[in-house]
Amino acid sequence: MEFRILGTVAVVTETGELPLGPAKRSGLLAMLLLRPNSVVRVEQLIAALWEDEPPLHAKAVLQSHVSRLRALLTAHDAEMYGIRLTTQGSAYALQLPETLLDAHRFEELVALARLQHRPADTVQMLREALSLWQGPALTGTVRSTPLEAAALALEELRIASVEGLSEAYGQLGEHARAAAVLRPESVAHPLRESLAAALVLALGRSGRQSDALDHYHRTRRLLADELGVDPGPVLAAAYRTILGTPSVQAPPQAAFASQPQAQAQAQAQAKPSAGPVDTVPPSRPASDEPADGTGADPSPALSLSPSPSPSPSPTPSREAAAPPDAGTGTPGSPDSASEPKPRTDTGSGPAVDPYPEHPATPAPVHTPAEPPTPTPNLLPRLPRGFSGREAELGALDRVLAGEDAPVCLLAGPAGVGKTALAVHWAHRRHARHDRFPDGVLFADLRGFSDTPAPETPTVLREFLLALGVPARRIPETTAAMGALYRSLAAHRRLLVVLDNARTSAQVRPLLPGGDHCATLITSRDRLGGLIASDAATPVPLNPLPPGDAAGLLAAVLGDERVCAEPAAVERLAGLCDGLPLALRVTAARLAERPEGTLAAMAAELADEQRRLSLLDIEDTGVSAALRLTVRHLPAPAAELFGLIGLHTGSDLDRFTAAALTGTTPDEADTALGRLAAAHLVTESAGGRRTPHDLVRLYARTLTPEPAAEPLGRLLDHYLRTALAAAAAAHPESRPCCALPADIRPAVAVREFPGRAAALDWFEAERSGLEGAVAAAAGAGLHDRAWRIALLLWPVILLRVGDGWVPLLEQCLASAEHEDDPDAQSRARALLGWILHEEGRDDEALVHLEQAPGLAARAGDVSSEAIACVNLAVALNGTGAHDRAGLLLSRSVTLAVQAQHPPTEALALHHLARHCLDTGAHEAALSHAVRALDMTSSDEAARRVLLQTAGGEALAALGRPDDAADLLGQALRTAESVGFEDGVAAARKALDGLPADR
């Protein structure tokens, strides 16, 4: 058992991660792991688990989480590892060997790295230490000041270790590797001058002086723009070093190796036997009051508030004061120690001081005569029961932390929880007053709604009123309103949330004009135009993973009910496609049935005929959400969406979509692109698109009646394409069927450049082809059903054990329905072969005995030869060798009569194997050599099998050298084409040759 906090908080056993449950329980575990083997008081835990005012029953909830965490550990034999979660008065302690904690191992490796005398050893230690990180520290916990402070402290330790690794690489002369290590960190922390200086030196010393100078100047400009300061001495020294100019001080070294004082301070902060260095606070006074005497209750990481990045001395003028978030040296950090004043504009215009209590030179700005209005906050109420989404919340933090008017696009399918996430994030950010002190504006653009979307002037008017503009001073024209809105936002730090946007044009007039404003947009559409024109950063919102889905259900039903049925919870999450809307409707139905089980609800949802109706409640549900999305689709995309319900597979490509709609592949691809942009289908490799199960079920409700024509087009598309794929996969073989006389003309048929492409298509379309057989039989189109099933023979032979019997039984039933003897013969021959391969010889012989006669009745000599081969192989397996030999001899005669060399080679190969089994080695060699002569080099697998049979015959005839030569050829060919069975057979035969030959 191991514990992880360097990434997602987790308990890992030999069987995988344990299900911790809600984020608060992960936060509880994190708090205990930050101070292992030390008591953590209840008050500290409550402060960490509830960012705002805790509920009255917080202690009871905390006790419940402790009990469940203790039960989880006990159930997985935690005590065997020396792990115990104990209660000590009004506090808890997690006792464990600290080697089980990744942060402790990280600290130990870093400490060992500091003691190494050889840079190569330092590199090895630090690389191993950094490999323990699997993402941002303490991911998956609730977001609170104590936990965020601890995560920030751990992140500072990680960055210091990265700097140390780059220093060690530099000592080895591997400056390119040092640069590669530093580059991503410098991009993530552009104002951290020590990183920038180290990267400049590494680039310069690796021969990339132009890149080094470019990075220096970009950092210099960023410092000037963001902080109004010049580079500090460390970065300046690196610059002079690259230029070859004598420096006032030595080139900077990483703090990891050159600052023992800082190391000693970090060690002094660590509490003995309390876990990783710098992850727990120093010992507390007996009074339980913090050391500074303020009476505040510190978090476990307060003593570890990261020291700021090296920064220049403050400038004397207010015009160069650092903006908010600069206090820690990390842009956008939510935990700055103070509220520094924003830097005023140092451009050509007059400076504007946003703090009237410290007046600066007055600026010619027009202010209303009315008294100042309160800070606007147009956000709707905080969504209740919000759970999970830690990764997406972190992404929003990163994207919207920029100072260059960031625009973030939160896009995802209907019901995925875009609005809830945006509002939750905005409430949390606004509550801190650090990033957007001038307020939050919110507008529901109703892009996908039964209610008409608001006009742009209506939204602008609401924004202007919120910003304090009297109604009588609001301009009449939209252009003038937009100009006033942008001018008011220019010197403010505002967050603008534009919810439920449908088009980029709907959004653009509402974007604020200030460099310090941020805009968060939600949409079911990708809004590619906004990304192209306004540099919007997309943050895709995907369905909830099972853990977050469990947290959402628990918020409605309670932890006890959800934790009691973990398997049912996971199944519910899958049946709901991970959509929060569907999960909330499910939770509402379960809340109405307090005696019902989650497993029973899952069983009801498993019925595809009822699932959509169960996921609708009153005027809310999945169907309603999807209806609004589909209603706004262009006509071609809406038509295709309705026909997707007819599709027999799980995904489709543009050729299949074209068959459904009766259009060209290019037109179908455009329609598929619109469905993907609306998040109704997801894109995968090879240009294929997949609708989620709920979307597919909803599409079925829109399928036009009658559906015979689009279904017929789909079946005929599969017939033509499968015939082309079979010909490309086995060009030596004759088609197993002809196209029906009434087949529809094709607009386009996919072309296959070779065998690999054809087999890839069969693999990708397998579910669609099998579904097409069932759909054709169900619609009475049996002539299509048996043909599509037989055309799967290349992949059937490739994957014999994949359970093909039901498909081939349907193929035979449709062939008998059509009274087609050739189809029946081929179906029985293939079905019998598969049954024989599955070890069901009695059932196989029922079909195989009939196949030759049916082929003879149909007058297909080649088919009769193959049927004889299959029957003979099965008879050999039952011990009827004499009859098998006669059948194989007849199959050779029939193949010669058919004048089809590939079939003759097949018969000769099996006859050679039969002769080997019966001791007729001369005959076996003759048949193998004859078959090899008529087998082309393109048929590598067949040649390998024939060479192996010939080699075994030569060995049996006492010619080991000739046998070794032929078997060696077989082995090399098999290895070159990846024919594993052929490799094994050839190697086995070679191993059987005498060693002294």
Side-chain angles (χ1 to χ4, degrees), residues 495-580:
L495 172 63
V496 180
V497 182
L498 303 175
D499 185 40
N500 200 9
R502 185 158 65 93
T503 65
S504 299
Q506 189 184 23
V507 168
R508 289 192 185 100
L510 304 176
L511 297 177
D515 287 342
H516 302 303
C517 296
T519 307
L520 176 56
I521 303 155
T522 74
S523 179
R524 299 182 189 183
D525 198 282
R526 291 177 180 172
L527 300 186
L530 198 67
I531 297 172
S533 65
D534 294 274
T537 302
V539 174
L541 193 59
N542 297 314
L544 286 173
D548 287 353
L552 189 152
L553 291 173
V556 178
L557 304 174
D559 289 342
E560 183 175 354
R561 190 173 178 188
V562 171
C563 292
E565 298 184 75
V569 169
E570 186 171 353
R571 191 178 182 206
L572 283 174
L575 291 168
C576 292
D577 281 345
L579 294 178

Side-chain angles (χ1 to χ4, degrees), residues 594-616:
E595 303 303 322
T597 65
L598 277 64
M601 187 75 226
E604 292 185 52
L605 286 174
D607 182 355
E608 291 191 349
Q609 304 299 320
R610 299 183 58 207
R611 191 181 308 171
L612 278 179
S613 62
L614 288 170
L615 294 178
D616 291 332

Side-chain angles (χ1 to χ4, degrees), residues 317-329:
S317 65
R318 271 192 49 79
E319 285 75 17
D325 300 331
T328 63

Side-chain angles (χ1 to χ4, degrees), residues 584-650:
R584 289 186 186 280
V585 172
T586 301
R589 292 197 178 277
L590 285 165
E592 295 172 353
R593 312 176 190 175
E595 303 303 322
T597 65
L598 277 64
M601 187 75 226
E604 292 185 52
L605 286 174
D607 182 355
E608 291 191 349
Q609 304 299 320
R610 299 183 58 207
R611 191 181 308 171
L612 278 179
S613 62
L614 288 170
L615 294 178
D616 291 332
I617 190 166
E618 294 185 356
D619 60 346
T620 301
V622 173
S623 296
L626 290 173
R627 175 177 57 80
L628 294 172
T629 302
V630 174
R631 191 175 71 181
H632 293 287
L633 290 173
E639 179 188 3
L640 174 58
F641 181 80
L643 292 170
I644 281 178
L646 277 176
H647 181 45
T648 55
S650 57

Side-chain angles (χ1 to χ4, degrees), residues 32 91 161 259-260 288 449 455 478 494 521 526 565 591 650 718 771 841 900 989:
L32 296 171
S161 300
Q259 296 184 9
D288 280 336
S449 172
E455 299 291 337
T478 302
L494 289 170
I521 303 155
R526 291 177 180 172
E565 298 184 75
S650 57
Y718 273 140
D841 284 337
H900 190 233

Side-chain angles (χ1 to χ4, degrees), residues 182-526:
L182 291 166
R183 172 76 74 177
E185 301 300 335
S186 184
V187 170
H189 305 278
L191 296 179
R192 191 180 181 104
E193 290 190 53
S194 61
L195 277 173
L199 179 56
V200 166
L201 288 173
L203 289 170
R205 289 166 175 167
S206 62
R208 299 167 59 188
Q209 187 176 35
S210 61
D211 290 341
L213 295 175
D214 176 69
H215 187 74
Y216 167 79
H217 287 298
R218 281 193 286 111
T219 304
R220 176 182 58 78
R221 288 192 295 270
L222 187 64
L223 289 169
D225 292 344
E226 297 290 336
L227 305 179
V229 298
D230 294 327
V234 173
L235 183 54
Y239 175 59
R240 287 192 293 271
T241 299
I242 295 303
L243 291 178
T245 306
S247 176
V248 175
Q249 67 180 55
Q253 295 292 326
F256 175 85
S258 64
Q259 296 184 9
Q261 182 179 359
Q263 176 183 343
Q265 180 181 359
Q267 291 173 342
Q269 285 180 337
K271 182 176 180 178
S273 300
V277 171
D278 291 341
T279 60
V280 297
S283 299
R284 295 280 307 277
S287 64
D288 280 336
E289 293 299 322
D292 61 3
T294 60
D297 188 14
S299 74
L302 280 180
S303 65
L304 297 175
S305 293
S307 57
S309 302
S311 58
S313 302
T315 55
S317 65
R318 271 192 49 79
E319 285 75 17
D325 300 331
T328 63
T330 304
S333 169
D335 300 305
S336 54
S338 60
E339 292 276 338
K341 304 295 187 279
R343 174 170 63 87
T344 55
D345 192 351
T346 58
S348 59
V352 179
D353 191 333
Y355 296 88
E357 66 271 22
H358 300 292
T361 304
V365 293
H366 301 286
T367 56
E370 286 75 4
T373 57
T375 300
N377 182 4
L378 302 185
L379 287 172
R381 66 177 176 83
L382 192 66
R384 303 186 61 180
F386 185 88
S387 176
R389 296 297 191 194
E390 295 302 322
E392 291 85 354
L393 288 168
L396 293 180
D397 282 340
R398 290 189 294 274
V399 172
L400 293 172
E403 290 291 322
D404 190 20
V407 178
C408 179
L409 174 60
L410 190 62
V416 81
K418 299 178 293 295
T419 299
L421 175 61
V423 172
H424 176 86
W425 182 87
H427 267 290
R428 188 187 66 185
R429 254 326 204 163
H430 180 60
R432 294 181 182 168
H433 301 291
D434 59 344
R435 179 66 178 87
F436 308 110
D438 297 320
V440 182
L441 304 178
F442 177 91
D444 181 0
L445 302 184
R446 299 197 291 273
F448 300 89
S449 172
D450 284 324
T451 307
E455 299 291 337
T456 298
T458 302
V459 180
L460 286 172
R461 180 180 177 83
E462 293 298 322
F463 283 2
L464 291 172
L465 288 172
L467 292 172
V469 179
R472 65 181 181 276
R473 294 191 178 180
I474 295 178
E476 293 184 2
T477 67
T478 302
M481 292 169 69
L484 178 58
Y485 163 60
R486 289 188 294 274
S487 67
L488 290 173
H491 300 291
R492 285 178 164 89
R493 291 180 176 271
L494 289 170
L495 172 63
V496 180
V497 182
L498 303 175
D499 185 40
N500 200 9
R502 185 158 65 93
T503 65
S504 299
Q506 189 184 23
V507 168
R508 289 192 185 100
L510 304 176
L511 297 177
D515 287 342
H516 302 303
C517 296
T519 307
L520 176 56
I521 303 155
T522 74
S523 179
R524 299 182 189 183
D525 198 282
R526 291 177 180 172

Side-chain angles (χ1 to χ4, degrees), residues 156-190:
E156 286 292 322
L157 289 173
R158 187 189 69 81
I159 294 174
S161 300
V162 171
E163 291 176 333
L165 177 60
S166 72
E167 179 187 350
Y169 274 135
Q171 292 171 356
L172 292 171
E174 298 181 5
H175 301 294
R177 288 194 175 186
V181 167
L182 291 166
R183 172 76 74 177
E185 301 300 335
S186 184
V187 170
H189 305 278

